[in-house]
Amino acid sequence: MVEKIITLENVSLVEFLGPDNQNIRQLAAAFPGSKIISRGNEIKIQGQTPVIARINEILSSLIEHYHQYGAITDRNVTEYIAAADDEQQERIIATASVADVIVFGAKGGVIKAKTPNQQKLVDTVMKHDLTFALGPAGTGKTYVSVALAVRALKNKEVKKIIISRPVVEAGESLGFLPGDMKEKVDPYLRPIYDALEDMIPAEKLKFYQENKIIEIAPLAYMRGRTLNNAFVLLDEAQNTTPSQLKMFLTRMGPTAKVMVNGDRSQIDLPTKQKSGLLQALDILRDVRGIGFVEMTAEDVVRHRLVKEIVYAYDRYDIQTQRDQATRPARDLYRPHPDSRPESDFPPINNASLPVNHEQQM
């Protein structure tokens, strides 16, 4: 712990410190990990060096304010503490290392990995031209992927961003949707737009889209193209068919960076249709040069209940698999309770069947 002493000169202690040292106590409350002690015309600060530096800046501002206005109020103390917090945040943004920050948002905020697996995803994408990101809802797969795409575009590593996803209804039929093709598919692509709007100012995003620098399109639009010099993201890949995913992966040009995101637990394809993502994981698992990152419930960055929901469903799936594995074989062939027993059907009288004379010849 470091200690610093500030001597107040040409200052009325009553006016500066406030009644019963209220101003100093308010400042101390804003930094609970430190100690601020007022004795006579000296103020002693004890704490970690960065914290002491911030307290010293606030006190210097308050001393200047006193010499200009002749008094210090509790509101002045609150305002200078808030101003110091804003300056500290700006310094953090300005000095944040490139390794930690993926990209700066549209309003200047820092967008970076929030969990170890999100950081692993960032590192894997840097090392591989094709990366599969897998995990449950809320783990930041889409958001981090879009941030990586925007960073690549801003750093001129690619000339365009292409983001796609299969248009599959999530367990319900929406029926006829009015409007042109863009208006029909935009609701399915809304999560992509939300992420981009967080990272790129509205006017610039509009410019990028109008000039095809950023393309957001359903997967069917990828057929026949060669995706080159671009950052390409396929989201919700668990809802692709095997032929669709193969088609997408074979669009990859020599200077493309490709990401495929999916969640095994949210497949919305028809029951008998195999997921292209699951098949691709089986086929490509041992192919060198492809990165795979598995996200878990620990990476959920939405509401805390989302993590608990994911855990609950995982436990349910595990128990269901155990029940099926331990179920007696005879139960698997047990007739449906609504089916009629064989005794209810009349016996077949062969004599009453029509005779095929051609077969007898």
Side-chain angles (χ1 to χ4, degrees):
M1 183 173 288
V2 182
E3 181 176 289
K4 181 178 178 62
I5 296 177
I6 297 175
T7 302
L8 301 175
E9 297 179 352
N10 301 319
V11 170
S12 168
L13 298 180
V14 174
E15 296 292 340
F16 185 83
L17 302 176
D20 197 23
N21 288 351
Q22 177 61 39
N23 294 339
I24 294 299
R25 288 195 294 169
Q26 184 179 348
L27 181 58
F31 298 92
S34 63
K35 289 185 178 181
I36 305 177
I37 303 169
S38 174
R39 291 180 179 172
N41 66 336
E42 289 185 347
I43 298 177
K44 182 186 295 184
I45 311 169
Q46 296 176 337
Q48 301 298 322
T49 302
V51 177
I52 288 180
R54 292 179 65 194
I55 295 173
N56 185 55
E57 289 178 7
I58 296 171
L59 284 172
S60 297
S61 298
L62 288 171
I63 291 171
E64 290 180 9
H65 183 98
Y66 171 81
H67 285 305
Q68 184 173 359
Y69 298 102
I72 298 293
T73 66
D74 57 351
R75 182 175 179 180
N76 299 144
V77 177
T78 300
E79 290 172 349
Y80 281 111
I81 291 173
D85 288 340
D86 291 341
E87 291 174 4
Q88 176 73 2
Q89 183 65 24
E90 290 175 2
R91 282 195 292 271
I92 291 172
I93 294 173
T95 60
S97 68
V98 176
D100 291 336
V101 178
I102 301 174
V103 70
F104 294 104
K107 298 181 180 179
V110 173
I111 297 172
K112 60 181 181 179
K114 294 183 178 180
T115 70
N117 276 333
Q118 285 189 3
Q119 185 60 52
K120 182 180 178 182
L121 177 59
V122 174
D123 297 338
T124 302
V125 171
M126 295 293 291
K127 297 176 183 177
H128 299 83
D129 288 335
L130 173 58
T131 300
F132 285 81
L134 311 165
T139 52
K141 301 184 302 296
T142 299
Y143 199 80
V144 172
S145 301
V146 172
L148 289 169
V150 172
R151 182 175 74 175
L153 182 64
K154 287 186 175 182
N155 292 344
K156 302 187 185 302
E157 298 168 10
V158 297
K159 290 185 178 179
K160 65 191 320 182
I161 296 172
I162 301 172
I163 303 176
S164 183
R165 65 186 296 178
V167 177
V168 177
E169 295 168 345
E172 56 184 328
S173 177
L174 300 179
F176 173 77
L177 294 175
D180 58 21
M181 181 59 69
K182 184 177 185 301
E183 292 172 330
K184 291 177 187 293
V185 301
D186 270 0
Y188 297 94
L189 303 171
R190 190 66 249 172
I192 306 294
Y193 287 112
D194 290 342
L196 285 169
E197 288 167 2
D198 277 354
M199 302 171 198
I200 302 175
E203 287 300 319
K204 198 165 189 177
L205 179 57
K206 182 180 178 181
F207 171 82
Y208 282 156
Q209 291 184 264
E210 290 175 348
N211 290 274
K212 302 298 182 182
I213 297 172
I214 294 180
E215 292 184 51
I216 306 173
L219 181 58
Y221 284 23
M222 299 297 107
R223 188 173 296 278
R225 300 181 62 180
T226 298
L227 308 176
N228 201 23
N229 204 2
F231 193 109
V232 189
L233 167 63
L234 175 61
D235 203 33
E236 301 290 341
Q238 76 275 3
N239 289 325
T240 61
T241 64
S243 60
Q244 284 178 325
L245 188 51
K246 180 182 177 182
M247 176 275 292
F248 173 81
L249 294 175
T250 54
R251 302 304 94 203
M252 186 177 178
T255 58
K257 179 80 75 173
V258 177
M259 289 190 68
V260 178
N261 295 346
D263 177 0
R264 296 184 184 90
S265 67
Q266 293 194 15
I267 298 175
D268 299 314
L269 293 169
T271 305
K272 295 183 179 180
Q273 178 65 65
K274 184 176 179 62
S275 168
L277 176 64
L278 300 185
Q279 185 191 69
L281 295 176
D282 291 337
I283 296 173
L284 304 176
R285 178 63 70 177
D286 297 324
V287 176
R288 294 181 61 185
I290 300 179
F292 298 90
V293 178
E294 293 274 358
M295 317 288 275
T296 69
E298 290 297 321
D299 300 299
V300 172
V301 292
R302 292 180 182 167
H303 193 286
R304 64 174 182 82
L305 284 177
V306 175
K307 183 182 296 187
E308 298 302 322
I309 290 169
V310 172
Y311 277 135
Y313 272 93
D314 286 345
R315 288 193 296 269
Y316 174 80
D317 291 340
I318 292 171
Q319 187 59 47
T320 300
Q321 292 172 6
R322 287 176 179 169
D323 292 344
Q324 291 177 348
T326 58
R327 185 178 177 184
R330 63 177 182 275
D331 291 347
L332 298 177
Y333 301 99
R334 182 174 295 170
H336 192 277
D338 293 336
S339 63
R340 294 170 62 186
E342 293 183 4
S343 59
D344 288 352
F345 291 90
I348 298 175
N349 184 357
N350 292 331
S352 65
L353 295 176
V355 178
N356 190 334
H357 297 285
E358 293 182 0
Q359 290 181 353
Q360 292 178 347
M361 292 178 64

